[in-house]
């Protein structure tokens, strides 16, 4: 009997072009969902007795944030903030805070939700910002993707969905110069390594 891979399998995904660069299929949305679900279940095990605030770092987090919530069965609230450090496919190392927090989080249990941690510059300055200005009751970090070859900071990432190689990725909320966020699957830049 013939068996077929699910429709969303990366086997059936085609390469895409964005701003003249080629991105090849890397993770199907089904595969991403599995990582999101496992991550949400881990967070729930730690926070089931609490009313945590899930704080999404915009814009890249949009798809992860929404899917994470669907897999999180407990009491919770949400908030957002926006920062940016990327210019094209290179981290500038400077993190700009573009938006104030959408919610008062003093004395709350905060879980920062990040789409991806690469150099960790963004994360480091976010954690500094929170410690200095917000005084939450607790602060933990959850990132859907982590590039461990690049991440050398001391900040502990408490929950990681999936470790990925040091290649620029696009889709599932992640952009290349503001394009490509709308693809439900994840793609990798074809030209290999990006240096920081
Ligand atoms: P970091 O400060 O270098 O850790 O980068 C963090 C932010 O840069 C993430 O929240 C993303 O928005 C963006 N970013 C990092 N790596 C990638 C990538 O491979 N593709 C798209 N965006 C990325
Ligand atoms: Mg981005």
């Amino acid at each position: 009997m013939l068996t077929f891979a699910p429709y969303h399998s990366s086997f059936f995904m085609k390469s895409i072009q964005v701003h003249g660069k080629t991105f090849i299929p890397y993770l199907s949305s089904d595969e991403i969902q599995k990582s999101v679900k496992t991550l949400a279940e881990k967070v729930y095990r730690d926070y089931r007795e609490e009313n945590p605030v899930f704080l999404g770092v915009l814009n890249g987090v949009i798809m992860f944030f929404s899917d994470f919530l669907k897999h999180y069965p407990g009491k919770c609230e949400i908030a957002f903030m926006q920062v940016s450090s990327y210019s094209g496919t290179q981290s500038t190392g400077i993190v700009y805070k573009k938006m104030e927090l959408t919610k008062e989080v003093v004395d709350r249990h905060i879980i920062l939700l990040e789409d991806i941690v690469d150099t960790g510059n963004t994360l480091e300055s976010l954690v500094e910002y929170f410690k200095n200005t917000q005084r939450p009751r607790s602060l933990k970090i959850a990132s859907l993707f982590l590039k461990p070859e690049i991440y050398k900071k001391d900040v502990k990432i408490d929950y990681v969905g999936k470790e990925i190689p040091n290649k620029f990725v696009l889709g599932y909320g992640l952009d290349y110069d503001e394009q490509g966020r709308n693809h439900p699957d994840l793609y990798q830049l074809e030209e290999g390594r990006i240096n920081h």
Side-chain angles (χ1 to χ4, degrees), residues 10 13-18 21-28 167-170 185-192:
S10 51
M13 289 161 57
K14 290 196 173 74
S15 295
I16 53 171
Q17 299 280 327
V18 176
K21 290 192 192 294
T22 303
F23 290 83
I24 56 175
Y26 175 51
L27 291 174
S28 69
K167 290 189 179 168
F168 191 82
V169 287
L170 167 143
D185 311 291
L186 196 71
Y187 296 79
Q188 251 178 5
L189 181 64
E190 197 177 42
E191 287 89 17

Side-chain angles (χ1 to χ4, degrees), residues 81-154:
M81 70 182 301
Q82 185 176 27
V83 292
S84 184
S85 69
Y86 260 69
S87 168
T89 58
Q90 297 286 315
S91 173
T92 60
I94 306 156
V95 179
Y96 303 97
K97 186 156 74 72
K98 284 191 184 164
M99 191 174 92
E100 295 302 321
L101 269 169
T102 59
K103 187 186 194 67
E104 182 72 54
V105 296
V106 175
D107 207 28
R108 300 294 305 269
H109 292 294
I110 305 299
I111 296 110
L112 265 183
L113 291 197
E114 265 277 24
D115 46 357
I116 188 165
V117 176
D118 182 34
T119 61
N121 290 329
T122 308
L123 194 62
E124 195 173 51
S125 49
L126 277 173
V127 168
E128 273 308 298
Y129 168 79
F130 273 99
K131 281 187 183 153
N132 295 337
T133 67
Q134 297 298 313
R135 283 185 233 105
R137 190 177 301 181
S138 70
L139 176 64
K140 282 196 180 179
I141 317 291
S143 183
L144 176 56
F145 300 118
L146 172 69
K147 296 179 185 167
E149 290 165 52
I150 293 297
Y151 185 69
K152 303 286 176 240
K153 305 277 186 194
D154 294 331

